[in-house]
Amino acid sequence: MCADIIHDHSTQAIRDRLEQGNEASYLRDWIYGGIDGAVTTFAIVSSVIGADLSTKIILILGAANIFADGFSMAASNYTGTKAENEEFERIRAYEERQIDRDRAGEVREIREIYRAKGFEGHDLDRAVEIITSDRKLWVDTMMTEEYGLPMQDRSAFKAASGTFVAFLLCGLVPLLPFLLTPFLFSRPTASILCVALTAVTFFVIGSVKARWSLMAWWRSGLETLAIGLGAAIIAYLIGYGLKELI
């Protein structure tokens, strides 16, 4: 289960917390990068093992995947997050112009938003007056209530960095036994260790993810484990089925 969040509800503590504001979350970037790094590298290793190719090919393809695919994912996440931020600024600028061009119409929008929330009579009039007297609050309200956009500004660089680092760390796990094959392990032993270590990685990622959800940690871990192993089984079967072509 997710960790309980306990706040100090003294007046000063509440004010301090509100003044600090909400920080943008980059959890999804780390989870996305970690799972994809482990899944894609494990799938490559599984397909090469299924095709009965050399350990050298496992290391070459695995390393290429970690850095090339990891960079590609990070770049895509950077571009996507940047596009979201640019869209936010575009919509905000549009609302600013709308207030200047048709103030009465924008006031009516605020009125209807709060009427739908159950405000009426003097309470509705007062709420509309308070919000429309502060231009920033007015625009912020339109951004969240009319467009459903979050007010936290997510850094494109932090999002991309989280994805790449998580991809790199988790993507290395399936390769570790094969890096040590010439020194410590035989090929069959390395294959078994690869499966075991990667399975543990999937389970740990899912279990950690549960800290921020209502799902039990073991269920979240098993869910992520099933996704990862499912991809590996498919890759292994493809490699095994096509090995006669090589």
Side-chain angles (χ1 to χ4, degrees), residues 217-238:
W217 65 270
W218 59 268
R219 287 187 59 190
S220 181
L222 290 176
E223 178 185 71
T224 305
L225 175 60
I227 292 172
L229 293 184
I233 291 172
I234 293 172
Y236 177 85
L237 293 175
I238 291 174

Side-chain angles (χ1 to χ4, degrees), residues 116-135:
K117 290 179 178 293
F119 285 74
E120 56 184 24
H122 176 72
D123 291 335
L124 177 59
D125 293 337
R126 183 59 179 156
V128 172
E129 178 185 353
I130 291 173
I131 292 171
T132 57
S133 65
D134 184 327
R135 188 181 180 92

Side-chain angles (χ1 to χ4, degrees), residues 102-199:
D102 187 6
R103 182 181 179 86
E106 292 296 305
V107 170
R108 283 195 296 274
E109 286 190 358
I110 290 292
R111 178 174 292 277
E112 292 307 312
I113 287 171
Y114 279 85
R115 189 193 305 278
K117 290 179 178 293
F119 285 74
E120 56 184 24
H122 176 72
D123 291 335
L124 177 59
D125 293 337
R126 183 59 179 156
V128 172
E129 178 185 353
I130 291 173
I131 292 171
T132 57
S133 65
D134 184 327
R135 188 181 180 92
K136 182 180 182 305
L137 175 61
W138 189 352
V139 176
D140 287 349
T141 301
M142 297 303 293
M143 297 294 287
T144 56
E145 299 293 343
E146 185 175 7
Y147 297 98
L149 296 174
M151 296 307 297
Q152 295 91 349
D153 183 20
R154 297 182 76 248
S155 165
F157 178 77
K158 288 182 179 180
S161 298
T163 297
F164 182 74
V165 172
F167 191 101
L168 181 65
L169 293 177
C170 295
L172 278 172
V173 173
L175 295 181
L176 289 178
F178 298 99
L179 288 171
L180 300 175
T181 294
F183 312 104
L184 299 178
F185 308 122
S186 64
R187 169 70 175 262
T189 301
S191 299
I192 294 173
L193 283 174
C194 171
V195 174
L197 290 175
T198 308

Side-chain angles (χ1 to χ4, degrees), residues 1-2 206-207 209-211 213-222:
M1 295 180 62
C2 63
S207 300
K209 178 171 65 70
R211 180 177 174 81
S213 75
L214 295 176
M215 184 181 293
W217 65 270
W218 59 268
R219 287 187 59 190
S220 181
L222 290 176

